[in-house]
Amino acid sequence: MTSTGLLCYCRQGFEPELAVELTDRAAQVGIAGYARTERDSGYVLFFCEDGEALDRALPFSTLIFARQKLRLLAELKDLDASDRIAPMLAALQGGPRFGELVMEHPDSDAGKPLAGLARSLGNALRPALRKADLLTQQDSRRLPRLHVCLLDGDHVLLASSRPGDSAPWPLGVPRLKMHKDAPSRSALKLEEALLVLLSEDERARLMKEGMVAADLGAAPGGWSWVLTRHQLRVSAIDNGPLRQSVLDTGRVQHLRADGFSWQPPHPLDWMICDMVEQPRRVAERMATWLREGWCRHTLFNLKLPMKKRWQETRLCLELFEQQAQKPLTIRARQLFHDREEITVFATPIAIRNDASRRRRRD
């Protein structure tokens, strides 16, 4: 079965930003195509002649406004409510075997009422897929996943995802619960950022007990609190007050200062920032921290304007990279717990000096 393009999920209301991003990124790699979407639908379809080539050329990790990236396999309309399964099986014949079935609906006002139908249809579709030898448990972790996205009772999108190049959660949304001791909802943003923007190995290596961090614009302390749960020591920089539960951790020092002017007395492992400020100003200040070597890794938010949000995103990230004046690994995503913003992870790329390594060995 040949892919006809991509199906990407996004935050409701950000379909135009995702459509422009996909169009721009496809053009940059020399692939012509077009996006199809509707405002507040929660998803974007991008069509081109070679969907598999587009899928390979646009790794999920590089996309900002997409919560999930899927290969579009087929679009089925006017399904008979008495038998939706037969047309799906027919459309999938001749294609690959799948290791998992994921039943979904867009995370939108129109999509959420379809949750019950998605569950019941999935319960009927799984045994039918197994009987047709399209779904198997053998080697399932290496096989692609089949995604069935309900747009309506008679309208379905069939798509697939590859492990390692897609989000592992339905709709690309990790379901996190608000901890009773969390100082604010913003704690969920940092928890999600650590899950989405860092690999499991990176979390183990970069978030070790005893590391030190600064939280710029910390009040009321949600992000500082998350770092303490990873056993980091935090300097919380804000003229405003912190919640007592943050101070009670014994790992947070509250410094009443301006996050845009404060600088650490010695290099830190981390700097995090969730200040409400113009995104270009934030990008410039974050670049200063990396350029001057004040921190090794950073996670920060960029609050976006109401218009031209993709253009502002590109401008800010380019400005950030240029002013950092060193090679960086940069990952950015509009998270489920973000609103009119994106979250950015950045760390300098280690440059190997083979000559010096040889001299040390000699």
Side-chain angles (χ1 to χ4, degrees), residues 9 28 32 66 80 111 177 183 256 260 269 292 301 328 332:
Y9 300 133
Q28 289 170 10
D80 189 335
K177 292 185 179 180
R256 293 186 178 272
F260 274 100
D269 297 293
E292 300 300 326
N301 274 355
L328 299 174

Side-chain angles (χ1 to χ4, degrees), residues 196-208:
V196 171
L197 298 178
L198 276 69
S199 68
E200 183 177 355
D201 175 68
E202 287 171 331
R203 289 193 296 274
R205 289 188 296 106
L206 306 182
M207 303 291 290
K208 291 183 178 180

Side-chain angles (χ1 to χ4, degrees), residues 37 46 71 100 124 151 154 203 218 247 286 318 341-342:
T37 189
F46 190 87
R71 287 187 182 185
E100 182 181 355
L151 302 182
D154 63 351
R203 289 193 296 274
L247 299 174
M286 302 300 100
E318 290 170 0
E341 61 198 343
I342 63 169

Side-chain angles (χ1 to χ4, degrees), residues 91-228:
L92 294 169
Q93 289 300 323
R97 299 170 82 196
F98 300 97
E100 182 181 355
L101 170 64
V102 184
M103 298 297 302
E104 297 174 316
H105 54 81
D107 184 25
S108 64
D109 293 340
K112 290 174 183 176
L114 297 169
L117 176 59
R119 284 193 297 270
S120 61
L121 182 57
N123 291 335
L125 181 57
R126 281 186 184 87
L129 289 168
R130 293 191 185 102
K131 185 176 180 180
D133 199 28
L134 291 168
L135 185 66
T136 178
Q137 293 181 332
Q138 184 177 0
D139 225 12
S140 60
R141 292 187 178 182
R142 296 185 180 183
L143 293 175
R145 295 183 293 261
L146 172 62
H147 295 252
V148 176
C149 178
L150 269 66
L151 302 182
D152 208 334
D154 63 351
H155 191 181
V156 168
L157 299 175
L158 303 180
S160 68
S161 64
R162 292 181 291 134
D165 192 39
S166 59
W169 313 283
L171 292 174
V173 178
R175 297 298 177 180
L176 303 176
K177 292 185 179 180
M178 186 75 172
H179 194 280
K180 62 181 179 63
D181 294 330
S184 64
R185 177 190 173 278
S186 67
L188 294 174
K189 289 195 290 186
L190 184 56
E191 288 185 353
E192 183 182 358
L194 294 173
L195 276 176
V196 171
L197 298 178
L198 276 69
S199 68
E200 183 177 355
D201 175 68
E202 287 171 331
R203 289 193 296 274
R205 289 188 296 106
L206 306 182
M207 303 291 290
K208 291 183 178 180
E209 181 176 0
M211 285 184 168
V212 290
D215 181 0
L216 307 184
W223 282 29
S224 293
W225 178 82
V226 171
L227 292 187
T228 66

Side-chain angles (χ1 to χ4, degrees), residues 239-252:
N239 284 311
L242 299 183
R243 296 285 172 83
Q244 189 61 41
S245 60
V246 179
L247 299 174
D248 289 344
T249 65
R251 292 181 174 272
V252 176

